[in-house]
Amino acid sequence: MRGPRARLDQPRAPRRSLWPEYDPESFGRFSEKIARLLGTGRFIVWMTMVIIAWVIWNVSAPGHLRFDEFPFIFLTLALSLQASYAAPLILLAQNRQADRDRVNLEQDRKQNERSIADTEYLTREIAALRMGLGEVATRDWIRSEFQDVIKEMDDRRLFPHESDEGDR
């Protein structure tokens, strides 16, 4: 007899894995911290001082205290090990930065599209206002029209000129 059938509407229980589990986000943050450290002048100065101390110790110390003789095999191994871990960590940090840059670029592109659409809308609105204002009577136009009407009425003598006799 078989065991109970798995229900299709529920997720399966997670399986055990032989591989260690890790949080990719925390590992990525750790790699960025290492990459930032490796990319500083302070790291280069400290590494140079350690290498110089290493070489001086293994050249000038008494024979029984030396731990890495002249070809400095152990130093070469340590530097190779450091480089073999540094390169992938730096690449991982660069990939994460490229992903962030890509997201920022997409957000900037969308913002630019919105700005262009807003600018085009405002341009159309200003053009419509200008067209509408072209049909609106301004104060100067009304004043000139009144002056024209007054002049025309004066020419027709609709308003008699005041005489000195009328004031008395």
Side-chain angles (χ1 to χ4, degrees), residues 80-118:
S80 297
L81 185 63
Q82 182 262 334
S84 68
Y85 275 98
L89 288 174
I90 291 170
L91 289 174
L92 179 61
Q94 286 177 340
N95 288 341
R96 287 174 52 89
Q97 184 61 45
D99 291 343
R100 280 193 297 271
D101 291 344
R102 193 172 16 264
V103 168
N104 287 338
L105 183 65
E106 182 66 22
Q107 289 174 347
D108 288 346
R109 187 186 63 75
K110 287 180 181 177
Q111 181 62 37
N112 287 341
E113 287 177 357
R114 285 191 296 268
S115 295
I116 288 171
D118 290 345

Side-chain angles (χ1 to χ4, degrees), residues 26-129:
S26 63
F27 189 76
R29 284 191 300 271
F30 172 74
S31 69
E32 287 176 344
K33 289 178 184 177
I34 297 295
R36 282 191 196 103
L37 172 72
L38 295 177
T40 62
R42 177 181 289 171
F43 174 78
I44 293 171
V45 168
W46 277 105
M47 192 168 91
T48 303
M49 289 174 26
V50 166
I51 291 171
I52 289 171
W54 185 297
V55 170
I56 290 173
W57 179 264
N58 286 298
V59 168
S60 62
H64 68 283
L65 294 177
R66 295 179 190 172
F67 56 88
D68 194 14
E69 292 293 328
F70 167 64
F72 306 118
I73 302 297
F74 188 51
L75 176 63
T76 305
L77 176 66
L79 291 175
S80 297
L81 185 63
Q82 182 262 334
S84 68
Y85 275 98
L89 288 174
I90 291 170
L91 289 174
L92 179 61
Q94 286 177 340
N95 288 341
R96 287 174 52 89
Q97 184 61 45
D99 291 343
R100 280 193 297 271
D101 291 344
R102 193 172 16 264
V103 168
N104 287 338
L105 183 65
E106 182 66 22
Q107 289 174 347
D108 288 346
R109 187 186 63 75
K110 287 180 181 177
Q111 181 62 37
N112 287 341
E113 287 177 357
R114 285 191 296 268
S115 295
I116 288 171
D118 290 345
T119 303
E120 289 174 352
Y121 171 76
L122 290 173
T123 303
R124 287 191 300 273
E125 288 297 313
I126 289 172
L129 285 173

